Amino acid sequence: SRLLYFSFCCMNVALGSGISVSRVRHDGEHILNGAKNLLPLEGDPCFELEQLGSHYVANSEHMSSIAEAYRSILSTCSTGIHNLACITKARFANKPMEWLRLCNQQLGPQPVASGAVCLVAQRVRDEVSSESDKYRRLSTMIDSARDGCSSVPLACIIHANQCLNQFDIRFCFNQCLRTGNMEHAMMGSMQPPKTLASTTTTTTSTTSTTTTTTTSKTNWWDAIVA
C-alpha cells in the first residue's frame, strides 16, 4: 500500500509540473508577442525613413549653429580676445559659443595668435557650412521619399549617408532607388552622366578663279617692219 501511495504522489507531482511548465511557456510566449507589438517595426522602410530624416535634420541644424558660431568668431578674431586652443575645440561642443566663452575665461586671451585664430575660424566655418548643406539636401531627399516609403529599398535608407560625399546627392539617392542598392556610391565618388551637346559642322567650299594674263613685249620697230 505504501508503494501504491508513493506512485500516486509521483504521478500527481509530474502532472502538476507539466501543467506548470506548459502554463509558464504559454505565458512567456504571450508576453513576447505583446512586446513585439509594442516595439517599433525594425526594418520597416516607412519607420526607418522617418527616424533617419529626423536624424539628418538634427545634424544639419547642429552644424548650422556651429557655422554661425565660427562666423561670429571670424568677425572678432583679430581683436586678440580668443585662445587658439579654445577655437580649435569649440566645434565639438554641443553649445559652441557658450563653451568658447568659458574656455577663453579659463585659458585667457592670446593676442599674438590672432592670425592663426582667424585662419582656423575661417577653415572651420567653410567646412561645417559645406557639411550642413550636404545634410540638409540629403534630409530633403529622404523627406520627399516618404510618400512612397513602402516601396523604398531598405538599402537606400540604411546606406543613405554614402551619398554625402558624392558630387550630386540627388543623383546618388535616385540611382539607389532605381537599382535597389548603394554599390555605385560605395565604389567611390561619381558624377552624373553629362548630356552630350550635338555639334553641327558646316563646311564652306570656296572656288578660286585664277586669271592668267599674257603680256607680249612690243619693240618700236615692229610697226615699220609690219
Side-chain angles (χ1 to χ4, degrees), residues 21-161:
V21 171
S22 177
R23 180 175 298 173
V24 169
R25 183 180 300 169
H26 175 74
D27 293 342
E29 292 178 353
H30 179 71
I31 292 173
L32 289 176
N33 291 333
K36 289 182 180 179
N37 293 331
L38 293 176
L39 292 175
L41 297 176
E42 296 182 358
D44 177 66
C46 297
F47 171 78
E48 298 292 343
L49 270 177
E50 182 178 359
Q51 297 299 315
L52 195 63
S54 301
H55 169 71
Y56 286 137
V57 168
N59 278 356
S60 177
E61 293 176 351
H62 178 62
M63 290 184 179
S64 294
S65 67
I66 297 175
E68 186 62 31
Y70 275 85
R71 289 189 190 97
S72 177
I73 294 171
L74 195 59
S75 65
T76 59
C77 64
S78 60
T79 60
I81 63 175
H82 299 294
N83 187 285
L84 182 59
C86 299
I87 295 298
T88 57
K89 298 178 181 179
R91 64 183 296 183
F92 304 108
N94 292 330
K95 297 180 179 180
M97 289 305 295
E98 295 183 11
W99 187 90
L100 178 64
R101 178 175 56 82
L102 295 175
C103 183
N104 282 332
Q105 290 177 357
Q106 293 179 4
L107 299 184
Q110 279 185 312
V112 296
S114 296
V117 167
C118 292
L119 291 175
V120 172
Q122 183 176 3
R123 177 175 55 82
V124 174
R125 180 204 60 182
D126 295 342
E127 290 178 0
V128 176
S129 297
S130 176
E131 291 297 316
S132 175
D133 181 64
K134 290 179 181 179
Y135 275 102
R136 180 187 57 79
R137 285 187 287 158
L138 184 57
S139 64
T140 301
M141 293 299 302
I142 292 176
D143 187 65
S144 63
R146 288 185 182 181
D147 293 337
C149 60
S150 58
S151 60
V152 176
L154 196 59
C156 301
I157 305 172
I158 297 175
H159 301 296
N161 61 336

Side-chain angles (χ1 to χ4, degrees), residues 99-220:
W99 187 90
L100 178 64
R101 178 175 56 82
L102 295 175
C103 183
N104 282 332
Q105 290 177 357
Q106 293 179 4
L107 299 184
Q110 279 185 312
V112 296
S114 296
V117 167
C118 292
L119 291 175
V120 172
Q122 183 176 3
R123 177 175 55 82
V124 174
R125 180 204 60 182
D126 295 342
E127 290 178 0
V128 176
S129 297
S130 176
E131 291 297 316
S132 175
D133 181 64
K134 290 179 181 179
Y135 275 102
R136 180 187 57 79
R137 285 187 287 158
L138 184 57
S139 64
T140 301
M141 293 299 302
I142 292 176
D143 187 65
S144 63
R146 288 185 182 181
D147 293 337
C149 60
S150 58
S151 60
V152 176
L154 196 59
C156 301
I157 305 172
I158 297 175
H159 301 296
N161 61 336
Q162 297 292 331
C163 291
L164 289 172
N165 296 324
Q166 299 298 311
F167 290 102
D168 192 329
I169 293 177
R170 178 184 294 273
F171 172 79
C172 174
F173 190 76
N174 287 338
Q175 182 72 3
C176 182
L177 295 180
R178 287 189 289 267
T179 61
N181 59 73
M182 273 289 181
E183 292 181 0
H184 60 283
M186 295 179 181
M187 295 297 292
S189 300
M190 61 178 297
Q191 292 182 343
K194 296 181 179 180
T195 304
L196 298 177
S198 58
T199 304
T200 303
T201 304
T202 303
T203 304
T204 304
S205 178
T206 304
T207 304
S208 301
T209 302
T210 304
T211 303
T212 304
T213 304
T214 304
T215 305
S216 57
K217 185 177 180 181
T218 304
N219 298 318
W220 63 272

